[in-house]
Amino acid sequence: MPKRPSVLLQTTIAPPTDDWGIARFSKLAALLRSEGFDVVTRDRDPLPAPDSVLSTLDTSDFDAAWLFAVDTGDGLTTDDCAAISRFRRNGRGLFVTRDHMDLGSSVCDLGGVGKAHYFHSKNLDPDAARHAADDTVTSDILWPNYHSGANGDWQQIAVEGPRHPVLDGVDRLPAHPHEGGVGAPADDPSARVIATGTSLSTGRRFNLAVAFEPDDSGGPAIAASTFHHFADYNWDPATGSPSFVTEAPGDGLATDPAALASAHRYAVNIANWLVSR
């Protein structure tokens, strides 16, 4: 029998009691397992020590790694970043996502993919016109904070350029009140923006995902604007959220099976593409 592809789903915070720990991505893990993947889920080891898995990722048997950067800037050590970067340079697949403002900014030091993530105080968007709040309702969250809708609702996406394989059969994604910023690094010909969304606050288009095609410098990779495209709470708000989430959720995905199917298709497409399946 062919080997089942092995996938790591990991956050950049130690096991939390009231945060976006890996337990809040259980529906994603279950979906990928149902599609024939061997899935390992974990939060990082406590800092300041290097993470026992991430710091040795390049010597692991994983075919792909999904990194949910939910930290406030200190979620990856130097050793973690170096091993993750070697993992991709060795030809394996990497998915990296974050959220608004500086949430997840520890990924900036990752080779290649880190440069695709723009934050408030680190690796700023080269377009200075975007250094302004988009979501103005939750006023304590600063840019980048693109408002694509309520948690639990869906957003229509626009395909950029030739439709990428990860967007096959995908027309909608989960919405979020304040998504982060991503863009294709100007000096990396393997990278391009593949999908954009539209802010419900300003009408501004913003990037949802950047794909890095595999080449001699590394394996396939995706940089995504927010981990909320994959969180249990966004797929089904009835699963609950951390106590600091104050925005009222919507029910768009709960009442529209086709929209939820599109979100699931996106996740499965990414998983398959990252392992060339």
Side-chain angles (χ1 to χ4, degrees), residues 61-106:
D61 293 329
F62 290 113
D63 298 297
W66 292 50
L67 194 63
F68 299 94
V70 297
D71 60 273
T72 57
D74 61 351
L76 297 174
T77 69
T78 299
D79 289 344
D80 298 337
C81 286
I84 296 168
S85 298
R86 290 193 300 269
F87 177 82
R88 183 177 170 236
R89 282 202 302 271
N90 291 344
R92 285 179 278 181
L94 181 62
F95 173 84
V96 180
T97 188
R98 37 67 71 89
D99 201 32
H100 59 256
M101 201 171 165
D102 281 333
L103 199 63
S105 56
S106 63

Side-chain angles (χ1 to χ4, degrees), residues 29-170:
L31 174 65
L32 297 188
R33 289 183 179 119
S34 74
E35 292 290 327
F37 291 87
D38 283 332
V39 179
V40 173
T41 61
R42 67 188 300 273
D43 294 306
R44 74 154 296 121
D45 299 329
L47 291 163
D51 183 73
S52 57
V53 171
L54 294 182
S55 66
T56 59
L57 191 62
D58 57 317
T59 62
S60 73
D61 293 329
F62 290 113
D63 298 297
W66 292 50
L67 194 63
F68 299 94
V70 297
D71 60 273
T72 57
D74 61 351
L76 297 174
T77 69
T78 299
D79 289 344
D80 298 337
C81 286
I84 296 168
S85 298
R86 290 193 300 269
F87 177 82
R88 183 177 170 236
R89 282 202 302 271
N90 291 344
R92 285 179 278 181
L94 181 62
F95 173 84
V96 180
T97 188
R98 37 67 71 89
D99 201 32
H100 59 256
M101 201 171 165
D102 281 333
L103 199 63
S105 56
S106 63
V107 305
C108 287
D109 294 326
L110 293 177
V113 181
K115 294 176 67 175
H117 286 277
Y118 304 142
F119 296 94
H120 186 75
S121 60
K122 200 174 179 183
N123 196 31
L124 277 60
D125 191 318
D127 181 359
R130 292 184 175 271
H131 301 174
D134 188 87
D135 172 28
T136 58
V137 175
T138 309
S139 58
D140 59 324
I141 293 177
L142 303 179
W143 56 267
N145 59 352
Y146 298 103
H147 181 73
S148 60
N151 294 311
D153 280 341
W154 54 264
Q155 60 175 305
Q156 192 76 38
I157 71 166
V159 173
E160 299 297 318
R163 182 177 287 269
H164 194 275
V166 304
L167 298 176
D168 183 32
V170 177

Side-chain angles (χ1 to χ4, degrees), residues 2-14:
K3 172 183 175 291
R4 289 162 60 97
S6 179
V7 175
L8 171 68
L9 305 182
Q10 172 153 347
T11 72
T12 56
I13 55 174

